[in-house]
Every structure is written in C-alpha cells, then in structure tokens.
Amino acid sequence: MRVFVTGGSGFIGSAVVPELLGAGHRVLALARSDRSAEALRAAGAEVHRGSLDDPEDLARAAAGTDGVIHLAFNHDDFPNLTLAAEGDLRVIEVIGAALEGSDRPFVVTSGTLMLASVEGVATEEDTPVPGTYRSDSDLAALALAECGVRSAVVRLAPTVHGRGDQGFVARLIDVAREKGVAAYVGDGTNRWPAIHRLDAASLFRLALESAPAGSGLHGAADEGVPFKDIAAAIGRGLDVPVKSIPADEAQAHFGWLGTAASIDNATSSERTRKLLGWKPEQPGLIADLEEGHYFQKTGLL
C-alpha cells in the first residue's frame, strides 16, 4: 500500500514509518517543518508539506493513497489541549469523508486513559464516555465503519516507552530528580498499562493491514504496572528515596501529571493480540527503566 502518515517524525511515528517500509509499503508522510521533512526523507518516505491546521489539504493527500495512519496531535498549547482535541476531531471527520465508501483503512490514535472510568481491567469492548478529552475523536473514527471506511482506533497506553521518550515516564523522572524523591499516591496499587514504541509500531502496521472496520484496539503490552513499582524503579535509577504521598498532594507534587498519577487504568490487549496476531517482543516498562537510558541527562539517545 501507499500509506499517508501524519506524525511520522514523532516519537512513535519515527518507528511506524520504518515498520511500514520494512513490510513493503510506501509512505507519504506529513511534515510541517524543514527538519521533519529532512528526517522523513532520510527514513525513505515521500513528504507532504502541511499541518493539522488545514484538514482539507490532509484529506486531499489521503484521498490519493491506499490508507491512512493518523498519529499527529497538536501539543503546542500543552497541557491545555481542548482546542487541539477539537482540531483532531475535525481532521478525522474530513479525512474520513474523503475515504467514505472506499473500504480503505484509516487507523486513528487514541489512548487507554479514555477508558479510565472502567472498573477493573478495560477491554476492547469498552468505549470512551462521550464528551471527555479526545473521546469524540475515538468514537468518530469507530463510526466511520458505517460509512464504508475500514476504520480502527489504536488506544495507546499512557506510557509508550523506549529510547528518546519525552512523555509521561520521562516527566516522572524529571519530577523525582527535582524533588529528590520518587513518589507514588496512596498505597501505589493503581496500575498503568505500558507499551514499547517498537511494539506500538508493529501494532499500527497490523491494524492498517488487517483490522476489521470499526475495531477498537489496545496498545498495551504490560496490562497494568503498579505505580509503586514504577516509582521504585525510578528511585533505583536516580538513587533517591521512594515514598507515598497523600492524594490531596498529588497535584502539587506531580504538576499536570497529578491526576494521571492516581488513576487505575489496567487495560487488556487479549482481543487485539488474537485479532491481529500481534505479539509484543520488546522489554516491558520496568525492564526498560532498568536498562538505565532513561536516567541519562543528555536527552534523546
């Protein structure tokens, strides 16, 4: 297939592009900067210059390909991302309209945190509560199956880890370094799912190739790592104490991660594995932390 990829130069996208090329697909990748364009060409992709601010342009690019993987998200106003979520929904709607009736694949990125309200372990049969952050994008993508689009949503764990990670785990390490302590909330038994970026890349490829229309897929290799275990691994990596903090101090301690640090988000990927034959092969989150690269101060490795 010739595949249009948004976010192809990002942390996950830079693994997805070579995964697709290695499987014999061709890639047309969105780039909004010269730096991104250069990186994508070096990886072997064609480049489409543009941005998420012009959904109609993205739809035209998508219409000329055999399928789409949508990874990009506008983090410019992080952590206040309400406008970005609205823009993401618009991109999905417009690209979906361009693919309507074609039965071409359209793989959209979401997150397992959309299912954090589910008691116990969330499964692929669960769906987000409408009106919550990014849930409208998730639901809109699934609904495209009724319009002749082979749509699928990959809900990624909040911890997509690996070398070069600048996300949740990297921020937790920064906080522990700043505060001199690796903290967890309460008894620390709340669980976070996790996935290595390379396992995420293979999941996106498999979703593109064979996911049935309207599939909700879970990018969770670790079903649920107790937050206390994550804190302990960070404590070992930084050689700082590990301690519990009360829930009412989480926001002050972790900043914008305060709410997420308290969430129990155990997520099963059993159905995803059986449906697509997906077999995560990379180290789990704790093993990746134990490798030590997260604790280097030089940034991307």
Side-chain angles (χ1 to χ4, degrees), residues 11 78-79 158-162 164-183 192 227 230-231 234-235 238 240 250-261 285 289 293-296 299-300:
F11 177 59
F78 188 82
T159 47
V160 181
H161 57 92
D165 178 13
Q166 297 295 300
F168 282 14
V169 173
R171 180 56 190 155
L172 289 175
I173 291 169
D174 287 344
V175 170
R177 186 177 279 122
E178 293 163 7
K179 306 278 187 178
V181 61
W192 274 14
F227 199 91
I230 299 173
I234 292 173
L238 293 177
V240 298
Q251 206 71 36
H253 184 89
F254 292 107
W256 55 265
L257 261 179
T259 300
L285 175 59
L289 284 166
H293 60 87
Y294 267 100
F295 305 102
Q296 303 294 324
L300 300 182

Side-chain angles (χ1 to χ4, degrees), residues 69-124:
I69 295 178
H70 176 45
L71 292 158
F73 190 78
N74 186 357
H75 291 92
D76 289 349
D77 295 324
F78 188 82
N80 181 11
L81 298 176
T82 301
L83 288 177
E86 293 172 356
D88 185 58
L89 175 59
R90 178 62 179 159
V91 167
I92 291 167
E93 290 174 337
V94 174
I95 291 179
L99 300 178
E100 188 171 330
S102 69
D103 197 35
R104 281 177 281 177
F106 183 19
V107 183
V108 170
T109 311
S110 183
T112 65
L113 285 177
M114 302 301 102
L115 305 177
S117 61
V118 174
E119 292 187 13
V121 179
T123 73
E124 291 88 345

Side-chain angles (χ1 to χ4, degrees), residues 2-6 28-30 48 58 61-62 65 67-70 95:
R2 183 169 183 256
V3 187
F4 181 47
V5 177
T6 72
L28 174 66
L30 176 68
H48 177 83
L58 303 186
T65 62
V68 179
I69 295 178
H70 176 45
I95 291 179

Side-chain angles (χ1 to χ4, degrees), residues 12 15-16 19-20 69 71 107-110 112 124 152-157 160 194-211 215-221 268-269 271-281:
I12 300 169
V16 171
E19 174 76 20
L20 293 172
I69 295 178
L71 292 158
V107 183
V108 170
T109 311
S110 183
T112 65
E124 291 88 345
V153 173
V154 175
R155 299 185 186 114
L156 291 172
V160 181
I195 183 173
H196 194 281
R197 66 189 287 263
L198 298 181
D199 286 326
S202 68
L203 176 55
F204 275 100
R205 175 182 59 80
L206 290 168
L208 176 88
E209 293 173 343
S210 61
S215 296
L217 307 169
H218 284 178
S268 170
S269 61
R271 181 178 179 275
T272 298
R273 297 180 196 223
K274 289 180 179 178
L275 183 67
L276 302 181
W278 178 55
K279 297 177 181 179
E281 299 177 343

Side-chain angles (χ1 to χ4, degrees), residues 183-190 227 243-255 257-264:
Y184 57 90
V185 179
D187 62 7
T189 57
N190 61 300
F227 199 91
K243 76 168 187 177
S244 168
I245 60 172
D248 60 5
E249 294 180 12
Q251 206 71 36
H253 184 89
F254 292 107
L257 261 179
T259 300
S262 306
I263 284 177
D264 186 49

